[in-house]
Amino acid sequence: DVATWLRLPSSSTNGARVGRNSKPQNVATPSSASSEEHEANSVEDIDHVSQSNEMLPSVDDEEAWSPKHRIRGLISLSAPHDLEIMGKTFMRHGLDSTLTDRIFGNRRQEYDPFALIQSIPPEQHAALADMLPPVQIRHGTADKTVPHEGSRRFAEVLGSMLGPDRVTFASYEGWSHTDPILEAPMAADHRFHLDLFTAVRRWTDSSNIEWPSEDDPLISGILCPRMLIKMARCCNPF
């Protein structure tokens, strides 16, 4: 079911399960050193596990882990949501069209986000919507590395499952794969960062933080001459 599909595998060492409420003394770690050396070397790790478990909310072992427990929202930027389309991109770059399959050990369908959501039966869409937080998918239309079309298709299908109010797709016209984090900010174009800021503020109800004013040097300052940025875009292989 959807819970099984999304459940994170239990971390274990030597067969010992490390859960949210696991006791550090019950965690076994393999070592080729003597028991005294092993005990001394693992004290720091055990303390870290103990502190981490104390910080996490208590969740019964029988309860499936859900993204909503810890994640307020998800923003995906220029990500390969459709691995089948990625094969066509590799071909345009002169690479073997089967490279994507071979990267994933000829098991691409098991890792392809688009294929995975399509495999979820309709009767489980409501359960999926109840598990996942709001999702924003953003992509530049001039991305030559990861096709914009793959993100658009993924957003349409996921939106039909979760509801249009839960999945947002936004295009950045003329932006390449690296524009949101490199070329655009260097040219004082902070559209992506403003979108990111707005989403985080809404999801976390952080009304005490404000976006800088337009005349703030952090926003208005250009990091290098615009001509160099234009040249970089022309030479950018992404």
Side-chain angles (χ1 to χ4, degrees), residues 95-128:
L95 300 173
D96 190 344
S97 61
T98 63
L99 179 59
T100 308
D101 291 326
R102 289 186 280 115
I103 288 175
F104 293 98
N106 294 318
R107 296 163 57 192
R108 173 178 57 83
Q109 293 294 322
E110 298 179 27
Y111 300 94
D112 188 336
F114 188 70
L116 285 173
I117 61 171
Q118 285 188 310
S119 69
I120 301 175
E123 60 269 21
Q124 294 186 359
H125 290 181
L128 180 66

Side-chain angles (χ1 to χ4, degrees), residues 27 30 44 68 83 86 99 105 113 116 151 154-155 175 177 202:
V27 178
E44 182 178 351
K68 276 190 175 179
L83 297 183
M86 286 300 302
L99 179 59
L116 285 173
S151 289
F154 180 82
W175 278 15
H177 191 66
R202 181 172 67 253

Side-chain angles (χ1 to χ4, degrees), residues 54-70:
E54 291 173 359
M55 294 171 62
L56 292 172
S58 178
V59 178
D60 293 336
D61 286 342
E62 298 301 321
E63 183 180 354
W65 185 92
S66 169
K68 276 190 175 179
H69 288 162
R70 303 297 302 275

Side-chain angles (χ1 to χ4, degrees), residues 33-211:
S34 65
S35 59
E36 292 81 10
E37 291 173 329
H38 172 73
E39 182 177 355
N41 291 336
S42 59
V43 166
E44 182 178 351
D45 292 336
I46 289 179
D47 286 344
H48 176 71
V49 171
S50 178
Q51 294 169 9
S52 298
N53 285 336
E54 291 173 359
M55 294 171 62
L56 292 172
S58 178
V59 178
D60 293 336
D61 286 342
E62 298 301 321
E63 183 180 354
W65 185 92
S66 169
K68 276 190 175 179
H69 288 162
R70 303 297 302 275
I71 303 173
R72 298 291 185 89
L74 171 67
I75 295 179
S76 174
L77 174 65
S78 306
H81 298 103
D82 189 335
L83 297 183
E84 182 179 355
I85 290 182
M86 286 300 302
K88 300 176 182 178
T89 300
F90 286 140
M91 285 186 64
R92 287 198 299 269
H93 287 283
L95 300 173
D96 190 344
S97 61
T98 63
L99 179 59
T100 308
D101 291 326
R102 289 186 280 115
I103 288 175
F104 293 98
N106 294 318
R107 296 163 57 192
R108 173 178 57 83
Q109 293 294 322
E110 298 179 27
Y111 300 94
D112 188 336
F114 188 70
L116 285 173
I117 61 171
Q118 285 188 310
S119 69
I120 301 175
E123 60 269 21
Q124 294 186 359
H125 290 181
L128 180 66
D130 187 57
M131 280 186 175
L132 293 181
V135 177
Q136 291 190 10
I137 299 174
R138 302 181 176 278
H139 214 122
T141 60
D143 192 329
K144 292 180 285 187
T145 300
V146 179
H148 169 271
E149 176 66 14
S151 289
R152 186 193 62 77
R153 290 208 311 166
F154 180 82
E156 285 182 357
V157 175
L158 188 62
S160 68
M161 294 179 176
L162 306 187
D165 58 325
R166 299 283 304 285
V167 179
T168 304
F169 177 67
S171 299
Y172 296 112
E173 190 65 34
W175 278 15
S176 70
H177 191 66
T178 56
D179 251 298
I181 59 173
L182 287 178
E183 294 95 325
M186 292 178 73
D189 186 346
H190 299 282
R191 276 177 286 168
F192 168 67
H193 293 97
L194 178 57
D195 290 341
L196 180 64
F197 174 88
T198 304
V200 170
R201 184 177 180 181
R202 181 172 67 253
W203 290 336
T204 59
D205 196 24
S206 302
S207 57
N208 60 322
I209 58 175
E210 297 290 341
W211 183 256

